[in-house]
């Protein structure tokens, strides 16, 4: 099966600019996650979708970050305006959802550098 | 809140040495526990998991046992190889919507 696709792989922007990341999950996976991974830290959950509904966005900085998942498939994560501390790798993951805690399947991530 | 604590790295071992990476968790309920691995240049992938107390997860020679009494899920391997060099993340999943929380990761370097 095709894996989780993310684009772009790398992005460099100046602070106060805006940026968007795209994720295409594995076909049929109902759950989609966006994680932020700052260098030297573990992935931190930003937002979790179940189909096209949000089930957890408690750690999403909503004053600058937004995300959507139209039609329960692809998803975009946007930052506007960016700050220096947003420099990180943004990981998208998907899961088929169900009993027994199915594993997360991760994309390769987008490395964002804010200067 | 729910959290995972794992030993900080990096851990450097010689080939064929015994590996232990410690992981403990704090959770309000009964989580499922995971080890994910990230090889150089690749995405995170599941290594093994355990869904209830006393379960042992195993894969590729790695093992971890879910210890409820010590809230731990330590990763072990009897004889590491150079190809095991990677970053290892302990994680837990809790709740009906399967929210997954990760530790900070432990970098393992195996030298020939």
């Amino acid at each position: 099966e095709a894996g989780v696709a993310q684009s772009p792989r790398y992005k460099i922007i100046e602070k106060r600019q805006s940026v968007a990341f795209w994720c295409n999950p594995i076909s049929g996976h109902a759950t989609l996650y966006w994680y932020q991974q700052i260098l030297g830290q573990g992935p931190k959950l930003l937002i979790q979708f179940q189909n096209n509904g949000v089930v957890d966005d408690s750690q999403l900085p909503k004053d600058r970050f937004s995300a959507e998942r139209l039609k329960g498939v692809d998803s975009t994560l946007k930052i506007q305006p960016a700050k220096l501390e947003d420099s990180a790798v943004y990981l998208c993951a998907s899961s088929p959802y169900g009993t027994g805690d199915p594993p997360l399947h991760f994309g390769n991530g987008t490395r964002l550098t804010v200067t | 809140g729910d959290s995972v604590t794992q030993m900080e790295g990096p851990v450097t071992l010689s080939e064929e040495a015994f590996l232990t990476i410690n992981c403990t968790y704090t959770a309000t309920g009964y989580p499922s526990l995971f080890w994910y691995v990230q090889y150089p240049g690749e995405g995170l992938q599941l290594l093994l998991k355990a869904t209830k107390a006393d379960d042992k997860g195993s894969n590729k020679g790695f093992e971890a046992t879910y210890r409820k009494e010590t809230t731990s899920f330590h990763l072990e391997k009897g004889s590491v190889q150079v190809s095991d060099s990677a970053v290892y993340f302990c994680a837990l999943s809790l709740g009906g919507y399967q929210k997954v929380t990760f530790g900070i990761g432990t970098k393992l370097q195996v030298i020939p």
Side-chain angles (χ1 to χ4, degrees):
Chain A
E1 61 181 5
V4 176
Q6 289 189 248
S7 66
R9 285 298 308 274
Y10 306 93
K11 190 73 177 179
I12 301 174
I13 62 172
E14 295 182 351
K15 59 184 179 184
R16 292 188 290 273
Q17 288 186 323
S18 62
V19 64
F21 313 126
W22 174 80
C23 173
N24 182 245
I26 292 174
S27 178
H29 281 194
T31 310
L32 186 146
Y33 308 77
W34 282 103
Y35 284 88
Q36 178 193 59
Q37 187 175 15
I38 294 172
L39 186 64
Q41 299 181 21
K44 178 183 112 176
L45 180 67
L46 293 176
I47 189 167
Q48 179 179 346
F49 293 94
Q50 184 71 17
N51 296 307
N52 60 347
V54 175
V55 299
D56 191 322
D57 63 357
S58 57
Q59 297 191 91
L60 185 75
K62 298 179 184 66
D63 58 334
R64 299 185 299 106
F65 285 64
S66 64
E68 61 181 6
R69 188 183 185 195
L70 298 176
K71 300 181 181 178
V73 183
D74 291 10
S75 178
T76 56
L77 176 70
K78 297 179 181 178
I79 308 175
Q80 181 178 14
K83 293 185 175 181
L84 295 177
E85 59 260 37
D86 298 332
S87 294
V89 176
Y90 291 84
L91 299 169
C92 180
S94 69
S95 170
Y97 187 72
T99 58
D101 283 306
L104 273 61
H105 298 258
F106 282 87
N108 286 330
T110 296
R111 183 178 298 276
L112 173 68
T113 302
V114 182
T115 63
Chain B
D2 305 323
S3 65
V4 175
T5 302
Q6 63 181 108
M7 59 189 291
E8 294 198 28
V11 174
T12 302
L13 295 173
S14 297
E15 206 165 20
E16 299 182 2
F18 184 86
L19 168 72
T20 299
I21 300 178
N22 291 336
C23 171
T24 58
Y25 67 90
T26 301
T28 52
Y30 301 100
S32 294
L33 301 173
F34 307 83
W35 279 99
Y36 280 81
V37 59
Q38 186 170 31
Y39 298 104
E42 299 184 16
L44 278 150
Q45 57 186 278
L46 180 69
L47 179 61
L48 53 84
K49 74 175 190 180
T51 57
K52 61 183 186 296
D54 300 324
D55 269 3
K56 177 185 284 187
S58 62
N59 186 25
K60 299 182 180 180
F62 290 88
E63 293 183 339
T65 301
Y66 190 142
R67 302 287 188 197
K68 182 181 172 185
E69 62 277 11
T70 55
T71 62
S72 65
F73 193 56
H74 304 322
L75 182 69
E76 297 182 336
K77 187 174 185 181
S79 176
V80 294
Q81 306 300 312
V82 172
S83 57
D84 294 326
S85 297
V87 182
Y88 293 82
F89 293 89
C90 187
L92 66 82
S93 173
L94 196 60
Y97 287 110
Q98 298 167 348
K99 176 180 177 179
V100 182
T101 301
F102 287 84
I104 64 171
T106 302
K107 183 175 182 178
L108 170 66
Q109 181 178 13
V110 181
I111 55 177

